[in-house]
């Protein structure tokens, strides 16, 4: 569905003569989980997830955004 929307927008730019031909646009998403089982991570976390979203145009990264979520263990009384 996202790929179809990208193709439609690129075709519209070609029709309006803003660009000469449709580029190859490939969106991507990665999730990189890390779990610290035997010991805590460098910030005292138990687990972390890095999420990366972006787009490559003609094989080169045009846009990339990442965020990181860190899960800390519950406090012990």
């Amino acid at each position: 569905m996202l790929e179809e929307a990208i193709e439609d927008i690129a075709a519209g730019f070609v029709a309006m003569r803003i660009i000469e031909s449709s580029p190859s646009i490939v969106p991507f998403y990665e999730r990189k989980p890390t779990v610290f089982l035997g010991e805590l991570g460098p910030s005292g976390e138990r687990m972390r997830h890095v999420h990366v979203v972006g787009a490559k145009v003609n094989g080169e990264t045009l846009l990339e955004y990442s965020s990181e979520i860190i899960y800390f263990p519950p406090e012990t009384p």
Side-chain angles (χ1 to χ4, degrees):
M1 184 171 204
L2 178 60
E3 288 85 3
E4 292 172 2
I6 291 171
E7 289 173 11
D8 290 344
I9 292 169
F13 284 160
V14 170
M16 293 184 289
R17 299 180 189 223
I18 295 173
I19 58 176
E20 292 181 13
S21 62
S22 294
S24 169
I25 302 171
V26 179
F28 62 88
Y29 168 76
E30 297 176 58
R31 180 178 72 97
K32 303 172 187 175
T34 305
V35 179
F36 301 96
L37 293 176
E39 57 188 49
L40 297 178
S43 299
E45 72 272 28
R46 179 63 61 202
M47 178 174 37
R48 75 174 55 209
H49 289 271
V50 177
H51 300 268
V52 181
V53 179
K56 292 186 178 198
V57 176
N58 296 329
E60 294 186 31
T61 301
L62 172 71
L63 176 68
E64 183 175 294
Y65 172 78
S66 67
S67 66
E68 184 175 61
I69 300 171
I70 298 175
Y71 301 92
F72 293 98
E75 295 292 325
T76 53

